[in-house]
Amino acid sequence: MLLLLPPSETKRDGGTHGPFEPSQLSFPTLAEPRAEVVAAVTSLAEDPDAMMRALKLGPRQAGEVERNRTLRESPTMAAIDRYTGVLFDALDAPTLGEEARRYAASHLAVHSALFGLVGALDRIPAYRLSHDSRLPGLRLKSLWRERIAEVLSDHAGLVVDLRSEGYADLGPAPARRDSVYLRVVSADAQGRRRALNHFNKRAKGLFVRALLGDQPVLHDRDDLIQWARAAGFTLDAGAALDGARPDELELVA
């Protein structure tokens, strides 16, 4: 099983390890586009005003430019420890036990606009780049989409896509029985469901933390639904909300 998480705009500073080593990152077939994006980001960061315009940063976010300028030399930490925000706060990766973190290393990836897919324990620096960021002469969607889609298609096993739609579009998961897209919804007293926005992130974080804690062996969507039910989650094909994807499952928060 491969769990796919979106990144977060917010990240912890610092790190306990030295500068990142591109050759040590998971998914080595993405090495070439990674190098292109890193080069473009660090080059643009030499012009702070241009970078702030490109990333749509305000004056209080000027420190993000320095993060990007120095990302090749900055200290690193595991990807699931680097990201903060609602989803990652609920996941609370720094408090996971050793077995759960080993399971994450084999079963969880974060989709970064800068590095593409990275493994949960891959050591990365702090940076600022989003799926819709615009870099001069470089279109992230054109660079990443087919390459990441190929990596995911080659994965032999269940793919559980918890990414936001923006990141899912930056590298689609395969359309097959053992690939599912998870959407978080709420249900009212009459059982009617609606998609959640901000609060869906917390539900995803709790769901993934439970998976990492239980470490189940899951082969397809039916296995995932059965595990979720036993773990206290409501996960099913749901009410097929407008715009729902054929591979979609609804997690009721």
Side-chain angles (χ1 to χ4, degrees):
M1 176 178 63
L2 179 63
L3 301 166
L4 296 175
L5 290 183
S8 173
E9 295 283 10
T10 56
K11 301 167 187 71
R12 290 185 176 87
D13 287 318
T16 55
H17 301 279
F20 87 99
E21 295 287 345
S23 63
Q24 299 301 309
L25 297 180
S26 303
F27 309 101
T29 59
L30 300 177
E32 182 180 335
R34 281 173 183 151
E36 286 188 52
V37 183
V38 167
V41 167
T42 54
S43 175
L44 184 60
E46 295 296 333
D47 184 341
D49 290 338
M51 171 134 280
M52 291 184 71
R53 288 194 300 271
L55 301 187
K56 299 178 182 179
L57 301 176
R60 295 183 180 180
Q61 298 170 302
E64 302 285 2
V65 176
E66 183 64 10
R67 279 181 165 183
N68 284 352
R69 190 184 70 82
T70 61
L71 66 85
R72 284 194 175 103
E73 300 83 37
S74 298
T76 57
M77 67 175 71
I80 55 172
D81 298 328
R82 173 68 71 190
Y83 296 104
T84 60
V86 177
L87 189 158
F88 288 92
D89 290 348
L91 173 58
D92 200 10
T95 67
L96 291 170
E98 291 185 10
E99 287 189 11
R101 289 178 71 86
R102 283 196 296 269
Y103 186 84
S106 301
H107 296 87
L108 190 152
V110 181
H111 186 165
S112 160
L114 179 64
F115 298 114
L117 300 176
V118 293
L121 301 190
D122 286 1
R123 297 170 181 173
I124 61 172
Y127 68 92
R128 181 63 176 258
L129 194 70
S130 303
H131 68 89
D132 57 353
S133 295
R134 296 185 177 183
L135 299 172
L138 191 65
R139 294 185 68 246
L140 293 177
K141 187 172 181 178
S142 297
L143 189 72
W144 287 126
R145 185 177 169 87
E146 290 187 6
R147 289 177 167 101
I148 290 177
E150 183 176 358
V151 170
L152 297 178
S153 181
D154 289 343
H155 175 74
L158 177 65
V159 176
V160 183
D161 191 350
L162 297 106
R163 295 174 295 173
S164 60
E165 292 185 354
Y167 278 95
D169 191 47
L170 207 61
R176 64 191 193 205
R177 178 67 183 175
D178 60 353
S179 178
V180 298
Y181 183 81
L182 211 64
R183 186 182 301 278
V184 181
V185 300
S186 65
D188 62 20
Q190 286 72 43
R192 292 173 302 204
R193 298 183 179 185
R194 63 180 180 86
L196 290 178
N197 293 319
H198 178 76
F199 293 103
N200 87 83
K201 297 177 182 179
R202 172 174 166 77
K204 288 179 179 179
L206 295 175
F207 185 80
V208 172
R209 184 176 177 88
L211 275 166
L212 299 183
D214 284 359
Q215 301 160 36
V217 177
L218 307 176
H219 300 289
D220 56 29
R221 61 190 287 142
D222 293 334
D223 288 348
L224 180 65
I225 291 170
Q226 290 177 14
W227 169 83
R229 184 180 302 117
F233 295 95
T234 300
L235 181 65
D236 56 38
L241 297 175
D242 290 343
R245 299 161 36 152
D247 61 344
E248 192 169 297
L249 290 177
E250 293 177 1
L251 172 63
V252 181

